[in-house]
Amino acid sequence: MYDQSKLSELIRFARIDAGATVIDVYPGDGDWTRVFSEIVGPEGRVDSFVPAEVAHFKNDPLGLMRRLAKEPGRDNVEAVSADLVAMPQVTRPADVLWLHLFYHDLHTALIQARGATAADFNRAVYERLKPGGCYVIVDHAAALGAGTSEAQSLHRIEPASVRKEVEAAGFVLDAESTLLANKDDPHTIKVFDPAIKGKTDRFAYRFVKP
């Protein structure tokens, strides 16, 4: 999805280093899990967390991660699954929790059907991170003033809404990045539209647990 320079910068932004414990939430095909596995090395750990809310998908996301964890050199990876709000019960205390293009889904019917809310999940993240740990969120930006209203329809969310919700859980904003910004994104079309797919205006926040 990203060229090597952007990938490297995102890793630096997330503060993922050798020996770290990382939770990769909703890992998809496992691309980030593999990247993190290489970076943290044999002394680190990667919990590839598949929310139970999406575990029923036809592509068998949990099965994919279990197979990934059996790949050569992936001894530091474990595939785990639970309801989003129960994430702390199946993961290790972490240095970094990584949430890539998923935060907006916390405001969709699919995720909320099992009782999860953004507030509940943010509190779960706070519980699971070590003091000084980083909560890193990358997502598709919605237009100014949209708040969370387009999370379901366009799969976008206003950055200010994310910041407000995460800070309400006790986190402190440590840094933000415009690395993935795209001023030519009209913010009015779904992120899967061929006209913008892969090129959406994206924001990146790094929050810290005090």
Side-chain angles (χ1 to χ4, degrees):
M1 183 176 292
Y2 303 119
D3 62 32
Q4 188 58 48
S5 63
K6 287 185 177 179
L7 179 62
S8 298
E9 181 57 34
L10 283 170
I11 297 301
R12 284 193 293 271
F13 180 79
R15 291 183 171 171
I16 297 174
D17 300 305
T21 296
V22 180
I23 302 173
D24 181 15
V25 176
Y26 193 18
D29 291 334
D31 292 343
W32 287 110
T33 291
R34 289 186 176 92
V35 169
F36 299 151
S37 173
E38 296 292 334
I39 295 168
V40 304
E43 301 302 316
R45 299 293 303 180
V46 181
D47 281 343
S48 194
F49 177 73
V50 178
E53 289 86 348
V54 301
H56 64 282
F57 284 5
K58 289 183 179 180
N59 66 335
D60 186 19
L62 182 56
L64 284 172
M65 291 308 99
R66 286 173 173 164
R67 289 190 289 276
L68 185 156
K70 293 179 180 179
E71 293 174 358
R74 303 290 181 213
D75 294 339
N76 59 2
V77 173
E78 183 173 357
V80 292
S81 183
D83 286 350
L84 276 166
V85 295
M87 180 266 298
Q89 300 170 22
V90 298
T91 55
R92 298 170 177 80
D95 300 291
V96 178
L97 186 136
W98 174 262
L99 201 63
H100 183 259
L101 307 183
F102 182 71
Y103 189 95
H104 68 272
D105 286 302
L106 297 172
H107 290 275
T108 62
L110 170 68
I111 298 302
Q112 294 181 351
R114 293 174 71 108
T117 67
D120 290 336
F121 180 70
N122 289 332
R123 284 192 292 268
V125 176
Y126 191 91
E127 176 185 341
R128 186 33 76 216
L129 282 175
K130 302 174 184 177
C134 296
Y135 181 13
V136 182
I137 298 171
V138 178
D139 214 333
H140 307 284
L144 185 66
T148 63
S149 65
E150 294 175 343
Q152 182 82 46
S153 58
L154 302 183
H155 290 268
R156 298 174 178 270
I157 191 167
E158 186 181 3
S161 292
V162 175
R163 178 175 178 178
K164 181 178 180 181
E165 292 178 351
V166 175
E167 289 179 337
F171 287 97
V172 175
L173 181 64
D174 189 49
E176 54 186 301
S177 173
T178 58
L179 176 70
L180 306 176
N182 177 10
K183 60 181 178 56
D184 296 322
D185 182 349
H187 301 106
T188 56
I189 55 177
K190 188 176 289 191
V191 300
F192 308 117
D193 189 302
I196 200 65
K197 185 178 180 180
K199 301 176 290 184
T200 53
D201 182 24
R202 301 175 188 179
F203 60 93
Y205 280 146
R206 184 178 71 231
F207 298 93
V208 170
K209 177 180 176 177

